[in-house]
Amino acid sequence: MEQKPFFGKEAAENIYHCIRCGLCLPHCPVYREMREESAGPRGKVQISKRLYEGDLTLSEEIKDNYFSTCLLCGSCVANCPSGVNLLSLLQGVRWRGVQKFGTSWKNRLEFKMLSTHWMMSASVIMAEWARRYFGGEWIESKIHLGALSVDRIPPFSEKTFTEMVPEVAEPPKGNVKAKVLYFHGCATKYLNVGVGMAVVEVLTKMGVEVIIPKEQGCCGLPVFFSGERKTALSMIRNNLPLFARDDVDAVIIDCATCGSSLKNEYIHILKDLRELGEDVTADEIRAAELLSSKIQDVSLFIDSHRDWLPEIKPGGEKIRVTYHDPCHLAKAQGVRSQPRNILKSIPNVEYIEMNGADDCCGGGGSFQIDYPEISAKITKRKTDNIEATNAQFCATGCPGCMLTISNHVDPAIKVIHTVQILQQALKRSENSNG
Amino acid sequence: MEKKQLLQKLAEIVGKDDIRTSEMQLQEYSYDASLIKGKPDCIVIPESTLEVSRIARLAHENHVPLIVRGTGSSLSGGPVPVRGGIVLLTTPKMNRILEIDIPNQRVVVEPGVITLQLKNELAKYGYLYQPDPASEKTSTMGGNLAENSGGPLCFKYGVTTNHILGAELVLADGEVINVGGKSLDNPGLDLIGLVTGSEGTLAIATKIILRIMPKNEGVKTLLAIFDTVNDGANTVSEIVKSGMVPSTLEMLDNLAIKAVETFYKIGLPTDAAGLLLIELDGLNDGLDRLAGQIIEICKKNNAREVSLAKNNAERDQLWTARKGAFGATGRLRPNYLVNDGTVPRTKLPETLRRVGEIGKKYNVEIANVFHAGDGNLHPLILFDERDKDELARVHKAAFEILQVCVEVGGTITGEHGVGVEKLGALSLLFSPADLNALRKIKRVFDPDDILNPGKLILMESESSERKEVVYA
Ligand SMILES: Cc1cc2nc3c(=O)[nH]c(=O)nc-3n(C[C@H](O)[C@H](O)[C@H](O)COP(=O)(O)OP(=O)(O)OC[C@H]3O[C@@H](n4cnc5c(N)ncnc54)[C@H](O)[C@@H]3O)c2cc1C
């Protein structure tokens, strides 16, 4: 049977660079639990090859496998010596898989909502839905959304972040050192408003003018990887004109996943779709390249301009802090040292490194809902490592990780964004001024 | 027996959930890290010796090939079911460390334990299992035993066989036996020595007894850069002649350096002709002096630069790069064929020169990454499998390289095994009588050629020289 092409030429080249050495396997959180070829990256690359060359027909089993055994953490990509990018192959197979066998109703609903400026991830949507539908604390405590327990999911903010900030936030003392756009993603908009406030507060204190376009929408990543490429395209088209701007110093992002999406995936998807004959223009690809070059995770930006920060005076209560590397920050964007530098530079922070700091938290967006058992095992390793540090705070840079970790870790440990720790330290230092 | 019936019987042994038969899954066990390809009939996941034994008996009674598989990182086609049959996968359920006996320096593991997993566990006690194949992050102990794996440290500490003392084995007919034991010299025939390196063709290891050693007090890692490969090779010879025993003597040539630097970006000079990675271990006392002597030898042999890793982070970086070297060549060209001929150390310069000439003759690029201390070459011939003409030249070049190795007094494989890949080269090394002796031994263990057939030695004598094999 004739199959539609799965990948553009650039993506397909990955297939031929896999030498099957298996060095990806020990880095794959799903493989580590299951230890079968179908759970790991190597098997998927090889199956992609057979599909591409027409030796194998896309089956529902293959489609399901490509969904059920990948957290999209990118650990294989980051650790492949030959430079194979499984994620770009995965997208192609999921896309054709969904075209051939359809999406589950649950996913369809989630993506519709995401693409119409709703909210970040399946887990949150479902949690809120469960809350409304069942109501009542008692019943909430009994419900589990896959590996997540509903009663430990934070509620939505009364007001969205967009409603709480001006479109342009200016530094207090005039003298603008830099001008940036702020892409805050759905989590900050609806759920972690505090993270957004911290980003704006810290950046303006550094003398940075922050522009927060009101029309910004979901970054699209959960949708790209769900095979709904057409919907993904509409999301990219919403964000590109707002953020692909030459006249700013950087586009700041507080969410690891959004960052990796805007930095890495937009270009890739647009190119792939153009090659496969979809209606994508060269101008759009150029805009995506410009955007990619401007993207900076907030911790990267702050760390490279630490001299702009007001001095933080010593004193105050010592706090013990550890840091979890989000996959989409450490592996997809290479941001590892910067958040640590920030934390270590705060006088009252006692920084402690956990074991396996860059091991995946097991969440993977909706993965934890659809495949709770594997997810829970991966998360357990993470929370054990966090708890072993005796830290009071676990800082990180991804709302997805924050949700997953805070849902499972000892409740005495607060999981917050790196920038929030900095925000608190700056506040304390100012107040001690009298 | 019909396939359906066989599957039913297997399900009675391991349970339906531990059998894989879909087309997707069969494809996923049709390869290893070599170019050999072959599809199994099914995959089973046993969890105990008893289950393995019952599977073996079933396979034996029905003349179905039985192929054990660890992670499938073999470079010679070892776990590839070239004649179909049952693949027995050890990684999901036979992956426990059964016993760690520190005072007696012994451990007992199941075959699906990952090499590095064992090392990490032992590190907690300050102990070490010495052999360190570059694939240790992913390879299993069963695979290491079956391939008698080597690694950088084996120059000083010996290869896998020097660290395996005993095993519980399942024979071809399902019989369970114990060979060797926990002592250094066990009575009777050295069957554990025979089975180690037998590539899954004589028996299935279900438990492995290993020797472990305390971690050395000190380590010094040196990096020496050379403008000619000869200078590097001469340095190796001179270090060994001096009586010093570094724990590793690893070499990378220019193309390999380029590949590694592209990915790892650790600041290696991409214009250098070669580099040596030399490590010394032992008591802290005296290490500095030895390192000084080695630096001197390097300089005397025209090293452009010699540096000492300043800390563990720098050392780890160098080793990560070395261990990722094979994979990193995948950035230069899509595929490689790795040859692992071994030559006497003193013949290294000559062999490298001739390898270079062979590369030119067949117009193929060759990167060299090798255990120089052991004279264990790893010429990686780079190509693109989609170019059939190039592929043909690659195979010719590979064969000629092995010929050269044997000519200068070496052998056709240092550590990756014969598998399918080097069947054709056996006759370079063995006389017909030698080969027949191997066959006789195989027949004693596995008269019906059920265990991993088509590997290591072909039972039909005349076809042993058959060179054509199925490539992916
Ligand atoms: C990048 C790379 C680097 C490598 N570097 C080295 C190196 O430095 N040194 C080295 O020696 N090798 C090296 N190898 C080769 C390979 O990793 C080793 O041969 C390793 O021991 C194979 O282990 P595995 O678990 O992957 O075994 P597999 O590939 O799954 O199987 C290998 C063989 O072992 C047999 N086997 C597996 N388990 C058992 C068992 N329980 N009982 C009996 N037989 C069994 C199989 O039937 C097969 O014949 C490298 C490979 C790669 C891809």
Side-chain angles (χ1 to χ4, degrees):
Chain A
M1 196 186 70
E2 199 45 35
Q3 301 193 74
K4 286 188 186 161
F6 291 85
F7 324 110
K9 243 175 96 193
E10 213 173 289
E13 198 56 25
N14 284 296
I15 289 172
Y16 293 97
H17 283 261
C18 172
I19 52 155
R20 299 175 297 275
C21 66
L23 282 184
C24 51
L25 300 174
H27 296 281
C28 171
V30 182
Y31 179 84
R32 279 208 299 242
E33 295 305 330
M34 299 170 69
R35 302 231 212 172
E36 282 187 61
E37 201 66 18
S38 57
R42 180 175 61 178
K44 292 190 182 61
V45 175
Q46 291 308 310
I47 293 299
S48 299
K49 180 177 183 188
R50 310 258 190 294
L51 288 171
Y52 182 70
E53 293 182 341
D55 297 336
L56 191 62
T57 315
L58 178 59
S59 63
E60 193 150 14
E61 183 195 19
I62 296 175
K63 177 207 142 190
D64 287 346
N65 177 261
Y66 273 62
F67 274 97
S68 68
T69 57
C70 178
L71 285 153
L72 307 177
C73 71
S75 298
C76 54
V77 183
N79 288 288
C80 173
S82 322
V84 175
N85 187 336
L86 170 64
L87 293 180
S88 55
L89 298 173
L90 195 92
Q91 275 190 30
V93 177
R94 284 186 173 187
W95 175 44
R96 293 303 190 201
V98 164
Q99 283 178 343
K100 191 167 173 186
F101 301 103
T103 320
S104 69
W105 67 268
K106 205 166 65 180
N107 285 351
R108 261 201 312 272
L109 179 74
E110 289 162 13
F111 306 143
K112 262 272 131 30
M113 290 166 132
L114 286 169
S115 68
T116 50
H117 291 211
W118 244 80
M119 60 193 75
M120 80 149 196
S121 83
S123 32
V124 183
I125 298 171
M126 297 305 284
E128 195 55 19
W129 170 77
R131 231 183 258 290
R132 297 239 172 86
Y133 196 82
F134 297 104
E137 272 171 38
W138 179 84
I139 204 147
E140 275 190 6
S141 69
K142 300 283 168 253
I143 303 173
H144 281 260
L145 262 177
L148 288 172
S149 39
V150 171
D151 58 333
R152 292 186 66 181
I153 297 178
F156 278 142
S157 166
E158 299 272 306
K159 266 187 174 174
T160 64
F161 176 66
T162 325
E163 292 169 288
M164 295 167 71
V165 286
E167 195 149 5
V168 179
E170 314 235 8
K173 287 186 224 114
N175 186 21
V176 176
K177 295 200 182 80
K179 189 162 105 177
V180 301
L181 283 161
Y182 176 24
F183 184 96
H184 53 62
C186 306
T188 294
K189 182 165 179 178
Y190 297 103
L191 206 60
N192 307 327
V193 174
V195 173
M197 300 311 275
V199 170
V200 174
E201 201 176 306
V202 171
L203 289 179
T204 49
K205 278 180 185 169
M206 290 171 76
V208 177
E209 181 183 310
V210 187
I211 310 167
I212 312 156
K214 287 217 186 294
E215 293 307 311
Q216 59 179 292
C218 169
C219 72
L221 191 116
V223 181
F224 307 157
F225 281 105
S226 306
E228 300 275 350
R229 285 187 144 182
K230 284 282 164 61
T231 319
L233 203 52
S234 77
M235 296 167 137
I236 296 178
R237 286 186 168 143
N238 176 54
N239 291 326
L240 264 190
L242 295 174
F243 290 92
R245 273 172 56 177
D246 235 343
D247 62 334
V248 293
D249 296 295
V251 175
I252 301 297
I253 298 196
D254 63 13
C255 164
T257 301
C258 301
S260 73
S261 174
L262 271 63
K263 194 173 170 62
N264 306 331
E265 299 303 331
Y266 279 22
I267 303 179
H268 162 72
I269 293 178
L270 292 175
K271 276 192 179 164
D272 217 34
L273 288 177
R274 188 173 153 89
E275 265 183 33
L276 291 169
E278 302 287 330
D279 158 42
V280 171
T281 68
D283 278 346
E284 285 177 315
I285 293 175
R286 267 193 296 277
E289 281 166 352
L290 171 66
L291 174 59
S292 171
S293 70
K294 295 278 177 190
I295 297 294
Q296 287 192 27
D297 182 73
V298 63
S299 65
L300 171 77
F301 183 85
I302 295 176
D303 185 50
S304 34
H305 304 290
R306 270 219 314 271
D307 50 326
W308 295 355
L309 275 169
E311 191 206 337
I312 307 175
K313 299 197 182 64
E317 201 186 321
K318 273 258 175 242
I319 52 169
R320 210 172 148 84
V321 183
T322 188
Y323 177 77
H324 158 72
D325 284 296
C327 295
H328 291 161
L329 198 52
K331 290 154 198 160
Q333 301 181 63
V335 174
R336 292 170 185 269
S337 60
Q338 296 85 347
R340 291 177 171 80
N341 293 343
I342 295 175
L343 292 170
K344 287 177 188 166
S345 73
I346 302 173
N348 68 322
V349 164
E350 181 195 346
Y351 180 78
I352 169 149
E353 184 76 18
M354 71 173 90
N355 277 335
D358 71 351
D359 286 351
C360 177
C361 71
S366 57
F367 185 91
Q368 57 199 328
I369 299 181
D370 297 336
Y371 308 100
E373 277 155 34
I374 308 171
S375 166
K377 280 192 195 159
I378 302 170
T379 307
K380 175 83 170 51
R381 290 190 194 214
K382 184 90 245 176
T383 52
D384 283 351
N385 281 333
I386 295 174
E387 285 160 14
T389 62
N390 280 322
Q392 295 151 282
F393 292 90
C394 174
T396 188
C398 169
C401 302
M402 283 165 70
L403 182 80
T404 304
I405 297 174
S406 63
N407 204 270
H408 294 87
V409 79
D410 176 348
I413 302 172
K414 298 278 170 290
V415 186
I416 65 176
H417 197 288
T418 311
V419 177
Q420 288 176 297
I421 295 199
L422 181 58
Q423 174 202 27
Q424 292 308 318
L426 286 169
K427 262 206 190 116
R428 181 197 46 76
S429 172
E430 278 163 28
N431 291 343
S432 70
N433 241 353
Chain B
M1 195 186 284
E2 291 277 311
K3 187 166 168 190
K4 217 173 112 197
Q5 262 175 304
L6 185 78
L7 290 175
Q8 210 166 7
K9 289 263 194 251
L10 285 169
E12 283 165 23
I13 300 173
V14 294
K16 232 173 58 225
D17 289 347
D18 287 325
I19 298 183
R20 308 282 176 262
T21 54
S22 76
E23 184 58 25
M24 176 187 88
Q25 281 155 334
L26 299 183
Q27 292 283 358
E28 285 172 338
Y29 295 89
S30 67
Y31 52 79
D32 63 1
S34 73
L35 297 171
I36 311 296
K37 196 179 158 186
K39 213 168 73 174
D41 292 305
C42 68
I43 298 104
V44 291
I45 302 176
E47 65 178 339
S48 66
T49 306
L50 182 65
E51 284 184 2
V52 174
S53 149
R54 293 177 64 194
I55 296 165
R57 185 164 316 135
L58 184 68
H60 183 71
E61 281 166 3
N62 294 284
H63 290 259
V64 182
L66 184 58
I67 302 99
V68 206
R69 184 179 172 103
T71 315
S73 71
S74 158
L75 288 164
S76 54
V80 180
V82 284
R83 297 190 187 164
I86 305 169
V87 164
L88 203 85
L89 187 65
T90 61
T91 44
K93 293 196 168 170
M94 295 189 77
N95 57 27
R96 287 168 308 165
I97 299 173
L98 299 172
E99 192 185 325
I100 298 186
D101 180 355
I102 295 291
N104 292 306
Q105 308 193 335
R106 300 287 181 265
V107 298
V108 183
V109 297
E110 290 185 324
V113 166
I114 306 296
T115 316
L116 193 64
Q117 174 196 347
L118 172 66
K119 291 190 175 190
N120 288 342
E121 200 52 41
L122 290 173
K124 295 179 187 162
Y125 303 88
Y127 269 73
L128 213 62
Y129 164 73
Q130 292 289 3
D132 58 342
S135 51
E136 65 184 0
K137 260 207 265 183
T138 198
S139 71
T140 63
M141 292 308 300
N144 288 178
L145 173 141
E147 299 285 359
N148 191 13
S149 296
L153 283 172
C154 297
F155 172 61
K156 178 167 177 181
Y157 293 101
V159 290
T160 300
T161 192
N162 301 110
H163 300 266
I164 293 190
L165 298 175
E168 176 188 82
L169 302 174
V170 171
L171 299 179
D173 59 1
E175 197 77 57
V176 181
I177 64 166
N178 283 288
V179 297
K182 288 188 173 171
S183 47
L184 272 180
D185 182 8
N186 293 290
L189 294 176
D190 181 13
L191 293 182
I192 185 62
L194 182 60
V195 166
T196 305
S198 65
E199 303 185 20
T201 64
L202 297 185
I204 302 165
T206 43
K207 283 188 189 126
I208 308 171
I209 305 173
L210 305 163
R211 178 154 86 109
I212 56 171
M213 296 177 178
K215 206 173 151 226
N216 274 301
E217 191 183 56
V219 198
K220 293 255 178 253
T221 309
L222 289 127
L223 176 69
I225 312 284
F226 294 91
D227 288 325
T228 71
V229 180
N230 262 355
D231 286 337
N234 290 334
T235 307
V236 170
S237 290
E238 196 170 332
I239 291 174
V240 176
K241 212 159 60 193
S242 77
M244 283 185 277
V245 188
S247 47
T248 74
L249 274 167
E250 295 285 299
M251 195 155 165
L252 269 69
D253 76 353
N254 173 268
L255 203 52
I257 296 173
K258 275 189 191 144
V260 163
E261 187 55 28
T262 320
F263 178 42
Y264 293 104
K265 299 193 180 61
I266 58 172
L268 299 174
T270 48
D271 64 331
L275 65 77
L276 273 180
L277 194 53
I278 309 166
E279 199 158 275
L280 289 159
D281 64 5
L283 296 172
N284 276 332
D285 265 0
L287 267 193
D288 279 331
R289 190 176 46 82
L290 289 179
Q293 284 177 19
I294 287 192
I295 293 173
E296 235 163 72
I297 295 178
C298 292
K299 291 209 171 126
K300 205 176 106 201
N301 285 285
N302 312 318
R304 182 208 294 185
E305 199 187 310
V306 194
S307 55
L308 203 60
K310 285 189 233 15
N311 47 39
N312 272 341
E314 259 188 44
R315 171 172 182 252
D316 289 349
Q317 232 181 11
L318 285 170
W319 281 114
T320 308
R322 161 60 187 91
K323 290 185 179 168
F326 285 11
T329 59
R331 296 196 175 228
L332 302 178
R333 297 295 306 279
N335 307 82
Y336 67 69
L337 182 83
V338 59
N339 229 310
D340 87 314
T342 298
V343 299
R345 230 169 359 243
T346 47
K347 299 284 184 185
L348 271 178
E350 178 190 339
T351 313
L352 286 170
R353 182 177 48 75
R354 292 176 67 181
V355 167
E357 284 164 9
I358 293 171
K360 282 211 192 79
K361 175 169 162 197
Y362 290 103
N363 189 23
V364 286
E365 278 188 297
I366 303 183
N368 288 288
V369 179
F370 53 103
H371 309 315
D374 303 344
N376 186 184
L377 300 171
H378 290 135
L380 297 152
I381 314 176
L382 311 184
F383 63 101
D384 187 332
E385 63 179 300
R386 287 165 289 186
D387 181 343
K388 297 298 169 215
D389 176 61
E390 192 178 32
L391 184 60
R393 283 182 277 125
V394 166
H395 284 302
K396 287 196 189 122
F399 191 76
E400 242 169 72
I401 291 174
L402 292 183
Q403 263 173 328
V404 168
C405 291
V406 174
E407 249 175 64
V408 301
T411 178
I412 56 172
T413 162
E415 56 184 24
H416 298 164
V418 174
V420 181
E421 194 141 308
K422 302 205 181 67
L423 281 175
L426 281 179
S427 56
L428 290 177
L429 195 65
F430 294 115
S431 71
D434 295 344
L435 290 172
N436 266 332
L438 296 185
R439 280 192 197 100
K440 279 184 195 154
I441 291 185
K442 163 82 175 169
R443 247 174 239 128
V444 170
F445 277 83
D446 182 16
D448 298 321
D449 200 13
I450 298 303
L451 289 178
N452 211 3
K455 315 289 169 62
L456 184 61
I457 176 96
L458 294 180
M459 294 314 283
E460 321 77 58
S461 58
E462 73 288 359
S463 52
S464 195
E465 277 125 63
R466 211 171 53 173
K467 283 177 196 104
E468 95 303 342
V469 276
V470 202
Y471 287 107

